[in-house]
Amino acid sequence: MASRDLFDLLSLDRPLQVADIGAADIGEAPIYKDMVDSGLAELNAFDADPRQHAALRQLYGERVRIFPQVVGDGGPATLYLAAPQSGMTSLFRPSADHLAFFNGFERLGQVEREQAVNTTRLDDIEGLPNLDFVKMDIQGGELAALRHGTAKLARCAMVQLEVSFVPLYEGQPCFGEVDVWMRGQGFIPHCFTGLKKWSIAPVLRDGDFRSPFNQLLEADIVYVRDPVRPGGLDPDLMKAVALLAHHGFYSIDLAGRMIALLAARGVLPTDAFERYLALVNAGA
């Protein structure tokens, strides 16, 4: 569980606001879980599939606010529902050609039913606070959600997105388009938390369709507000970067840079950077 030592060093007077858009629990612990469990952050979880809500409640209890809205551009759309365990329910129709290119995806991407829905712009969702960190995995819908959530994201410190190198859905924006948009909003890539390759049909490696050779499929990439020229960054945003970098990604160098800059500005005590390094060395 995350320690409060850095939280106290940064003199934060509120928990961070985290949003997970596409929060279905498919067996992977999200990077924010320890912070939520420790009271350092509050979770706003989005999942339009009601089949996923019970698992989220079981995992977080009263520490989560669940939003059932389908996040998008605010217009009508079709939701293509796949099996819950596949994680492939999307506002985009699966691409038969691209699914067939990869071993196993014709089955994983099979649509069980279609549902007409009205999407909601992120900026229009009542009860959603301004966000410090966003994790988004909505099977191709990430860019539309971002474009219609700029107000809620105006003070966002870091964003974790699933991006695709080869689209599995018709009309799905791929990594290059998402990356250009994020840079235009003042973010730069910080790290990949996962890079997924997949085997190309019909060749199998060791008889396992999940065992890849070299073909890139998708990745989870983390963007941070540009720390190269941080002069215009709000101190509270810089504090959020430091906390997320440390507890979310163990990016000690990024957290340390924010703390050193805050100390140089007089926002934190002059010895804050040295105290931070002491916490790191003590294993905090």
Side-chain angles (χ1 to χ4, degrees):
M1 189 171 291
S3 165
R4 292 188 61 89
D5 292 339
L6 178 57
F7 190 91
D8 294 336
L9 175 63
L10 293 168
S11 298
L12 282 163
D13 58 4
R14 62 174 182 85
L16 298 187
Q17 291 296 329
V18 170
D20 191 337
I21 303 172
D25 176 22
I26 57 172
E28 300 174 359
I31 66 97
Y32 55 75
K33 187 175 186 303
D34 280 351
M35 286 185 285
V36 173
D37 289 345
S38 301
L40 307 183
E42 295 178 349
L43 176 59
N44 304 275
F46 286 78
D47 205 292
D49 188 346
R51 298 173 296 181
Q52 305 289 354
H53 294 179
L56 288 168
R57 286 289 185 202
Q58 184 175 7
L59 191 60
Y60 294 104
E62 297 303 314
R63 301 185 304 277
V64 60
R65 292 187 289 268
I66 295 179
F67 294 84
Q69 290 92 334
V70 179
V71 178
D73 62 7
T78 299
L79 190 64
Y80 299 91
L81 289 111
Q85 65 273 19
S86 75
M88 292 190 67
T89 292
S90 176
L91 289 173
F92 290 84
R93 183 189 299 275
S95 168
D97 289 342
H98 289 90
L99 291 179
F101 177 72
F102 293 104
N103 285 307
F105 269 104
E106 287 182 293
R107 177 176 59 82
L108 292 172
Q110 185 174 358
V111 175
E112 294 186 345
R113 62 186 176 91
E114 299 178 13
Q115 179 180 333
V117 296
N118 290 312
T119 66
T120 304
R121 290 165 17 107
L122 196 61
D123 282 344
D124 294 338
I125 294 175
E126 295 184 5
L128 180 67
N130 292 330
L131 300 170
D132 298 292
F133 176 71
V134 173
K135 178 180 179 293
M136 195 179 299
D137 178 358
I138 47 177
Q139 301 302 302
E142 291 83 4
L143 187 55
L146 290 165
R147 283 173 169 163
H148 295 275
T150 53
K152 292 296 184 186
L153 299 174
R155 295 174 57 81
C156 192
M158 301 181 80
V159 179
Q160 180 178 340
L161 301 171
E162 183 183 71
V163 293
S164 292
F165 302 106
V166 179
L168 296 179
Y169 306 93
E170 296 176 3
Q172 175 186 3
C174 285
F175 169 60
E177 190 175 351
V178 173
D179 185 65
V180 168
W181 191 89
M182 289 297 292
R183 290 174 185 271
Q185 301 301 305
F187 291 90
I188 65 169
H190 175 57
C191 66
F192 287 112
T193 62
L195 182 64
K196 183 182 290 184
K197 300 177 181 180
W198 208 269
S199 63
I200 298 171
V203 179
L204 294 177
R205 185 171 192 172
D206 301 325
D208 181 4
F209 74 91
R210 296 180 185 272
S211 182
F213 290 92
N214 292 310
Q215 178 58 52
L216 293 172
L217 174 61
E218 59 195 17
D220 278 358
I221 186 171
V222 178
Y223 286 88
V224 60
R225 288 284 178 186
D226 191 345
V228 179
R229 295 180 293 271
L233 295 185
D234 179 271
D236 284 345
L237 191 152
M238 295 172 70
K239 291 179 180 182
V241 170
L243 193 71
L244 289 162
H246 180 94
H247 284 302
F249 306 102
Y250 202 64
S251 295
I252 302 305
D253 50 353
L254 177 57
R257 177 176 173 83
M258 294 295 104
I259 292 168
L261 289 169
L262 288 166
R265 289 188 191 181
V267 176
L268 294 179
T270 57
D271 65 343
F273 179 68
E274 288 73 23
R275 289 166 60 191
Y276 173 62
L277 294 182
L279 289 175
V280 172
N281 290 331

